[in-house]
Amino acid sequence: MSTTRKPASVRQEADERWREETLEPTLGKMPERMEQFTTTSLYPIKGLYTPADLEGIDFDADVSYPGQFPYTRGIHATGHRGRLWTMRQFAGFGSAFDTNKRFKYLLSQGQTGLSTAFDLPTLMGLDADNPLSEGEVGKCGVAVSSLADMEALFDGIPLEDVTTSMTINAPASMILAMYLVVAEKHGASWKKISGTLQNDILKEFIAQKEWIYPPRPSMQLVIDTFKFCTDEVPRWNFVSVSGYHIREAGSTAIQELAFTLRDGIEYVQWAIDAGMDVDAFTPRISFFFNAHNDFFEEIAKYRAARRIWARVMRDRFGAKDPRSWQLRFHTQTAGVTLTAQQPYNNVARVAIQALAGVLGGTQSLHTNSLDETLALPSEHAATIALRTQQIIAHETGVTNTVDPLAGSYFIEKLTSEMEAGALEYIRKIDEMGGMVEAIDLGFPQKEIHESAYEFQRAMERGEKLVVGVNAYTDVSDENVQPPMLVIDHTTAEFQSRRLADLRATRDQDRVTQALDLLENGAAEGRNTMPLLIDCVRSYCTLGEMCDALKEVYGEYQEPVF
Amino acid sequence: MQRKIRILIAKPGLDGHDRGAKVIARALRDAGMEVIYTGLRQTPEQIVAAAVQEDVDCIGLSILSGAHMTLFPRVLELMRAQGLEDVILFGGGIIPDEDVPKLKALGVAEIFTPGASTQAVIEYLRELCPVGRLTRSRSIESRTPSSSSRSTGRTDSTRSASRHSRRSMTCS
């Protein structure tokens, strides 16, 4: 940062002198532990960073102040001094009644927002009584097959006061329609309710792989929700562009950053192409990043994300509203780093990852429970995870100042390197024609697989150590297992009975008519949201709505890459 | 010529977590085995049909959804119905310790949970299916009951032949 620096040549000479006079004699006596030090993404890190590394980084243009373009230091002038991040623990299991109880428990423990995990049948748009759902109902999240389940899920929860995040993608618009009808029944105004719909179908094709329709009609469904929410549910965050799953699938930090931001660019471009005004919808786009183990790499990643997004929105898309430039994000600690071996060690991992998210300026945070690699979190484990956030917020002092790591030679250099690496990927994807085209080519999918395989090999060569897995494994508490939450088959039976009752008692003519209108409307290219809301009010099931659209859109088959 | 170990890596269940399946498929391939990866969300019926068609020595199931106690027994049942008793079924994924002995008692050969190295899986499979001991030979010339049993020391040549004919039917 030019204002605080000696001329570069003088600095480089001084660095060189230190290397000769101090470093080399030390290395002569005692070599370093490894030939090359790398991050968990296998990105090389130098032993020392000095002002010479700040060459080319301009304080005003590249770092600046919190709340000011390009927001490297955060989108709020007061950081976490003004408002703490939202402590938002992802929860969902069993039936809607089971999860409703957990929601109420978490709110009573000081959690400030809800976050809904749906089970796999729901994520795939299948009803609980579909044969493909066998063995999966209520296992990885809550089972929701119709409005009746959604009513039970949010029973007694004040929807105008609590923000709700819903992790759902391929059938996101159907689930949003259900939530809106529940709000309507509670008397909560669509103009006042707020929350987040993940609704990020691109990362499904790239990494998480829970899709229904092919990419292009899937994108159309997403754009329908953008338009509908912009007009009718103005405080709703209708997409959470997610790097989390990309990272969990094995990407590097730079790939997570690049593919997530390029996905964001793709949504903005599609919405503009559909006739939307960029500043009318972009402020409601939010992001979701992973908090992995490599502390500084993660912090640099969040800072680079804000800087890239601000410039892309202003310079590439010509957005005028500063809110369009500000990248807001949720963070979740990295599930993939949790170990089944010595599971109590996971509390330490989660705390360090969460700290990186906080120092990176996150707007909301989920901390994983120590038992999540074994099963869904028990209430006890979920409470420790929430308490971890409260300890960071109230005991460590890290929230006292904004972006405390700014100005570190290392952090600023690494932020710039993350940015450069991501921009290179974004340029490549632009050249392919965009992210949908890159997905057709299998480009991000192959890049992630390569990184996952490289990391596995590095671990097996012993270059990367994981405590309790390939190091420090010989301990007596290896088999100390936390108590686990077990979801038995009674949920599936319960859900099947509920669905049978529903199908027997609802107005079948109305159901048939609503589904016909949905199918015909989609075929004509009308916005699907009002049609889906009508289906939901008629108690069409999730599976029925998804199947009606399969008639129009077809189903996605992943090519072999 | 010695033939390679043939393995079907299959991903049943509704989830899309294919990182482990793809990493292990790649590692086994790099170790010189022939690997067929089914892709996501295969039903037990599809998996066993693929095992028959591809005439594999082993099937590896990757399950992270929690449905392992439903899916492994179903695959084993279908394998028996198809006469695949000598095909080794192993698995990996998020599988609680207490379920491992139950699965082994049902007939699953081995379960590799997170943290198992790909090298451990490679060594296990090489140990369990040394190529010289294998039932089936891929060359058309040797596809007679006598040469098959001579090359393997096993007597289960009838089924072996029937599986070959099934494969050639699907190829035509």
Side-chain angles (χ1 to χ4, degrees):
Chain A
M1 288 172 270
S2 47
T3 49
T4 61
R5 215 158 23 87
K6 292 181 183 176
S9 58
V10 176
R11 177 54 55 199
Q12 275 159 7
E13 276 168 33
D15 285 5
E16 198 47 49
R17 248 194 338 273
W18 169 80
R19 203 162 285 124
E20 281 168 21
E21 293 172 8
T22 308
L23 177 64
E24 279 168 15
T26 305
L27 290 175
K29 279 182 263 174
M30 192 182 72
E32 291 178 335
R33 290 178 293 109
M34 287 181 271
E35 257 178 50
Q36 195 181 41
F37 287 77
T38 61
T39 68
T40 193
S41 304
L42 309 180
Y43 189 84
I45 297 295
K46 297 193 293 181
L48 189 77
Y49 290 77
T50 72
D53 291 293
L54 301 181
E55 187 62 30
I57 301 173
D58 182 85
F59 179 83
D60 292 305
D62 298 321
V63 182
S64 189
Y65 292 89
Q68 285 189 2
F69 194 90
Y71 305 101
T72 310
R73 306 197 63 185
I75 60 169
H76 297 302
T78 56
H80 292 130
R81 286 166 65 102
R83 220 183 66 155
L84 287 170
W85 62 93
T86 303
M87 298 180 191
R88 195 188 288 285
Q89 297 294 93
F90 193 39
F93 60 92
S95 73
F97 298 90
D98 297 325
T99 299
N100 178 264
K101 271 188 222 141
R102 177 66 68 89
F103 279 173
K104 287 175 176 163
Y105 171 78
L106 287 166
L107 290 172
S108 77
Q109 293 301 303
Q111 175 166 307
T112 45
L114 294 176
S115 176
T116 316
F118 296 97
D119 71 357
L120 281 163
T122 308
L123 293 173
M124 293 301 297
L126 301 169
D127 289 336
D129 57 0
N130 187 306
L132 291 172
S133 303
E134 193 189 339
E136 316 250 27
V137 176
K139 283 269 167 68
C140 298
V142 59
V144 172
S145 302
S146 79
L147 176 62
D149 293 330
M150 207 67 158
E151 288 166 353
L153 184 59
F154 291 102
D155 182 53
I157 292 170
L159 298 187
E160 282 186 10
D161 304 330
V162 171
T163 62
T164 303
S165 167
M166 292 187 288
T167 298
I168 189 88
N169 296 281
S173 31
M174 296 80 182
I175 293 290
L176 174 63
M178 289 185 196
Y179 189 84
L180 293 176
V181 175
V182 170
E184 187 176 77
K185 291 195 163 194
H186 282 207
S189 162
W190 287 359
K191 305 286 180 203
K192 287 186 188 158
I193 59 169
S194 181
T196 304
L197 190 68
Q198 194 163 78
N199 202 19
D200 174 14
I201 199 66
L202 290 171
K203 67 93 173 55
E204 295 297 330
F205 296 113
I206 295 170
Q208 170 101 333
K209 310 207 168 175
E210 282 148 15
W211 51 61
I212 300 176
Y213 314 110
R216 287 165 183 82
S218 297
M219 283 295 284
Q220 192 50 55
L221 278 176
V222 172
I223 300 305
D224 284 353
T225 61
F226 279 34
K227 285 185 174 169
F228 184 84
C229 291
T230 301
D231 295 339
E232 305 292 336
V233 202
R235 295 185 60 218
W236 196 264
N237 302 303
F238 39 69
V239 65
S240 170
V241 191
S242 303
Y244 183 82
H245 320 79
I246 291 172
R247 192 67 180 280
E248 292 285 297
S251 84
T252 64
I254 287 177
Q255 288 166 345
E256 178 194 355
L257 181 61
F259 297 154
T260 309
L261 294 179
R262 190 58 189 73
D263 286 348
I265 291 170
E266 193 80 354
Y267 292 120
V268 171
Q269 188 63 59
W270 275 65
I272 290 172
D273 291 348
M276 295 184 79
D277 168 40
V278 66
D279 283 318
F281 69 91
T282 311
R284 296 250 68 103
I285 293 180
S286 64
F287 288 82
F288 171 23
F289 289 109
N290 198 296
H292 214 282
N293 273 335
D294 202 290
F295 190 67
F296 296 112
E297 185 176 49
E298 294 303 275
I299 294 166
K301 178 184 77 182
Y302 307 125
R303 298 175 86 247
R306 281 190 294 265
R307 186 150 85 203
I308 296 171
W309 189 246
R311 288 178 176 159
V312 161
M313 288 314 304
R314 189 188 67 178
D315 304 335
R316 178 172 179 150
F317 290 113
K320 304 271 189 301
D321 184 343
R323 293 181 312 142
S324 301
W325 306 337
Q326 296 167 359
L327 180 143
R328 296 171 299 134
F329 70 103
H330 172 69
T331 303
Q332 180 173 339
T333 58
V336 75
T337 66
L338 301 178
T339 66
Q341 298 85 348
Q342 305 172 34
Y344 287 95
N345 293 346
N346 292 329
V347 177
R349 292 190 178 96
V350 167
I352 294 164
Q353 294 164 5
L355 185 59
V358 170
L359 290 173
T362 196
Q363 273 65 56
S364 69
L365 180 61
H366 167 100
T367 33
N368 289 329
S369 298
L370 69 100
D371 54 358
E372 272 179 74
T373 186
L374 307 162
L376 287 180
S378 68
E379 193 164 276
H380 177 63
T383 308
I384 293 174
L386 177 60
R387 295 286 180 257
T388 303
Q389 295 198 35
Q390 291 160 340
I391 289 166
I392 293 172
H394 304 294
E395 297 184 18
T396 63
V398 297
T399 60
N400 288 345
T401 189
V402 188
D403 190 28
L405 292 173
S408 148
Y409 311 126
F410 175 40
I411 281 290
E412 294 299 354
K413 178 69 173 174
L414 195 56
T415 302
S416 288
E417 288 179 351
M418 293 274 129
E419 178 187 24
L423 289 175
E424 176 60 20
Y425 268 119
I426 289 172
R427 188 189 60 74
K428 275 188 198 160
I429 295 167
D430 285 344
E431 282 174 7
M432 292 174 193
M435 191 48 112
V436 169
E437 287 75 9
I439 287 168
D440 287 342
L441 294 169
F443 174 70
Q445 299 95 312
K446 282 186 274 195
E447 290 288 305
I448 294 167
H449 174 65
E450 284 302 316
S451 302
Y453 194 58
E454 280 311 305
F455 180 79
Q456 181 69 26
R457 281 161 46 108
M459 213 176 99
E460 294 193 11
R461 286 193 301 262
E463 291 165 20
K464 291 290 171 197
L465 297 186
V466 181
V467 172
V469 176
N470 66 351
Y472 312 107
T473 52
D474 186 22
V475 293
S476 54
D477 68 348
E478 177 81 35
N479 294 317
V480 178
Q481 295 287 327
M484 277 200 285
L485 178 72
V486 177
I487 310 296
D488 60 23
H489 59 280
T490 54
T491 299
E493 287 162 14
F494 178 73
Q495 284 301 110
S496 291
R497 266 202 316 279
R498 269 172 73 76
L499 270 169
D501 288 348
L502 180 84
R503 291 188 214 274
T505 52
R506 64 186 182 177
D507 179 345
Q508 195 57 43
D509 290 342
R510 206 180 147 196
V511 166
T512 310
Q513 193 189 17
L515 290 170
D516 284 347
L517 286 171
L518 172 64
E519 193 180 322
N520 295 337
E524 289 160 14
R526 288 173 54 199
N527 192 314
T528 46
M529 275 308 296
L531 303 168
L532 287 167
I533 289 169
D534 188 46
C535 287
V536 166
R537 286 186 183 128
S538 316
Y539 287 91
C540 297
T541 68
L542 177 66
E544 289 164 347
M545 291 185 275
C546 290
D547 285 349
L549 292 181
K550 281 179 194 167
E551 296 296 320
V552 183
Y553 298 146
E555 288 183 74
Y556 182 64
Q557 297 293 336
E558 187 179 38
V560 178
F561 297 121
Chain B
M1 198 179 81
Q2 276 204 331
R3 70 166 189 83
K4 294 173 172 177
I5 299 175
R6 261 173 95 77
I7 296 178
L8 184 74
I9 296 292
K11 181 68 194 69
L14 291 179
D15 66 293
H17 297 111
D18 59 1
R19 175 178 180 168
K22 289 177 97 164
V23 164
I24 196 68
R26 171 95 169 262
L28 297 178
R29 213 169 277 147
D30 286 357
M33 303 181 194
E34 282 181 37
V35 182
I36 301 115
Y37 170 55
T38 60
L40 290 167
R41 283 183 275 279
Q42 300 293 300
T43 61
E45 289 76 8
Q46 289 170 314
I47 291 165
V48 175
V52 169
Q53 185 176 337
E54 297 290 346
D55 199 13
V56 296
D57 307 304
C58 319
I59 305 173
L61 297 189
S62 171
I63 305 184
L64 293 93
S65 68
H68 49 276
M69 294 311 289
T70 308
L71 293 167
F72 275 108
R74 181 80 188 124
V75 169
L76 281 165
E77 185 188 322
L78 290 163
M79 285 170 70
R80 286 190 194 108
Q82 294 288 335
L84 302 189
E85 281 90 355
D86 66 341
V87 172
I88 294 156
L89 179 68
F90 69 102
I94 306 281
I95 293 165
D97 286 348
E98 66 264 29
D99 290 341
V100 173
K102 292 180 206 162
L103 290 170
K104 286 189 174 177
L106 290 169
V108 179
E110 190 56 86
I111 296 288
F112 296 95
T113 49
S117 73
T118 58
Q119 200 52 42
V121 181
I122 291 164
E123 281 163 18
Y124 174 82
L125 292 175
R126 281 188 177 144
E127 177 68 25
L128 214 62
C129 22
V131 283
R133 219 189 66 197
L134 284 163
T135 320
R136 298 168 296 278
S137 176
R138 272 7 181 227
S139 71
I140 290 170
E141 291 74 28
S142 65
R143 204 196 292 166
T144 60
S146 60
S147 71
S148 177
S149 52
R150 193 165 52 239
S151 68
T152 63
R154 289 199 190 179
T155 54
D156 188 19
S157 51
T158 322
R159 184 176 65 71
S160 172
S162 76
R163 284 172 63 193
H164 277 290
S165 56
R166 201 193 316 268
R167 188 156 67 135
S168 53
M169 273 169 61
T170 55
C171 288
S172 64

